[in-house]
Amino acid sequence: DQQVKQNSPSLSVQEGRISILNCDYTNSMFDYFLWYKKYPAEGPTFLISISSIKDKNEDGRFTVFLNKSAKHLSLHIVPSQPGDSAVYFCAARSSNTGKLIFGQGTTLQVKP
Amino acid sequence: DADVTQTPRNRITKTGKRIMLECSQTKGHDRMYWYRQDPGLGLRLIYYSFDVKDINKGEISDGYSVSRQAQAKFSLSLESAIPNQTALYFCATSDVTQSSYNEQFFGPGTRLTVL
């Protein structure tokens, strides 16, 4: 039973355009949501997070939006750059255990 | 300098063999984790440890065991490897005092193939 789902395995966008990566969750006990980025042959690295009490968090080109009623979050990258090409994982923190639950990942390709 | 290191980086073994994956960290974090990554399944938690005397099972612990030898070291063992344990394995650390959302820092991964 996948509590955190990324339904798009891959996404391809043109350099300079917006990339939108989506994530859905089922557990109302999640209190934080995180995005990780992973390059080949490297471990995932933290990108941005959002608390469940907020609906938006912005860090440079990266913005995460949270819609609690829909149990949906999205990561916007504007403008997209070729160096953003990577696998992006959505993760949710369980408030009662502190553990992170990860989605399946979305592979983003930004074409020059 | 890598803060979280994993050895070996690649390993090919045969069914039934015992194998150990090792993780070391210089971040001074109390919490350590082992995950595996499979295509289409993302990262799944195998075991985690909140301090040296604390070991907890994750969602897919069957067939695995761990040892927390020191604050800086957390090893994962496959007592009798089977082909469906072929995966990419990641170690991660976190410090509860640094962030409330449990940001975790990952090692570079170990690619394990069981023939």
Side-chain angles (χ1 to χ4, degrees):
Chain A
D1 183 24
Q2 193 87 23
Q3 296 185 65
V4 178
K5 294 183 181 179
Q6 295 175 255
N7 292 316
S8 297
S10 63
L11 174 68
S12 182
V13 301
Q14 208 66 35
E15 180 178 6
R17 306 294 293 268
I18 185 171
S19 295
I20 300 176
L21 296 94
N22 295 303
C23 180
D24 296 297
Y25 63 96
T26 58
N27 191 338
S28 300
M29 297 299 290
F30 292 144
D31 59 354
Y32 278 96
F33 301 89
L34 299 79
W35 285 94
Y36 278 80
K37 178 179 180 180
K38 182 186 178 304
Y39 292 119
E42 295 182 11
T45 56
F46 171 74
L47 187 58
I48 192 169
S49 69
I50 188 168
S51 164
S52 60
I53 63 172
K54 298 195 180 285
D55 54 20
K56 177 182 175 182
N57 187 27
E58 190 172 354
D59 183 3
R61 297 186 297 114
F62 302 92
T63 303
V64 57
F65 296 92
L66 176 63
N67 182 334
K68 283 186 68 176
S69 62
K71 292 189 173 66
H72 176 83
L73 67 155
S74 59
L75 175 68
H76 293 212
I77 307 173
V78 182
S80 301
Q81 300 173 353
D84 296 328
S85 298
V87 178
Y88 289 79
F89 290 101
C90 168
R93 193 192 89 124
S94 174
S95 61
N96 55 344
T97 67
K99 293 187 293 184
L100 295 183
I101 309 296
F102 286 84
Q104 306 97 311
T106 297
T107 300
L108 172 66
Q109 182 186 28
V110 180
K111 298 179 179 178
Chain B
D1 289 341
D3 292 323
V4 184
T5 58
Q6 293 183 233
T7 55
R9 293 294 312 276
N10 289 282
R11 181 71 182 266
I12 299 174
T13 191
K14 294 183 179 180
T15 297
K17 294 290 187 182
R18 183 180 189 275
I19 184 167
M20 179 181 289
L21 310 182
E22 300 192 4
C23 176
S24 294
Q25 53 114 346
T26 58
K27 301 186 78 67
H29 290 171
D30 287 327
R31 299 182 173 191
M32 298 187 74
Y33 310 81
W34 275 104
Y35 292 90
R36 66 178 275 177
Q37 182 191 355
D38 298 277
L41 295 177
L43 293 161
R44 292 182 294 165
L45 184 63
I46 306 172
Y47 270 96
Y48 63 102
S49 169
F50 282 178
D51 64 44
V52 175
K53 296 180 181 179
D54 176 78
I55 301 288
N56 303 282
K57 292 182 178 180
E59 56 182 306
I60 53 162
S61 59
D62 288 348
Y64 301 94
S65 63
V66 291
S67 174
R68 184 81 184 266
Q69 301 95 324
Q71 186 206 37
K73 296 185 182 295
F74 193 36
S75 59
L76 176 71
S77 293
L78 287 68
E79 296 301 326
S80 179
I82 56 176
N84 76 0
Q85 291 178 311
T86 293
L88 192 53
Y89 289 84
F90 290 103
C91 174
T93 74
S94 69
D95 181 351
V96 67
T97 61
Q98 278 193 348
S99 74
S100 55
Y101 48 79
N102 193 22
E103 177 187 348
Q104 295 181 13
F105 299 84
F106 285 80
T110 294
R111 184 167 295 282
L112 176 66
T113 303
V114 183
L115 301 177

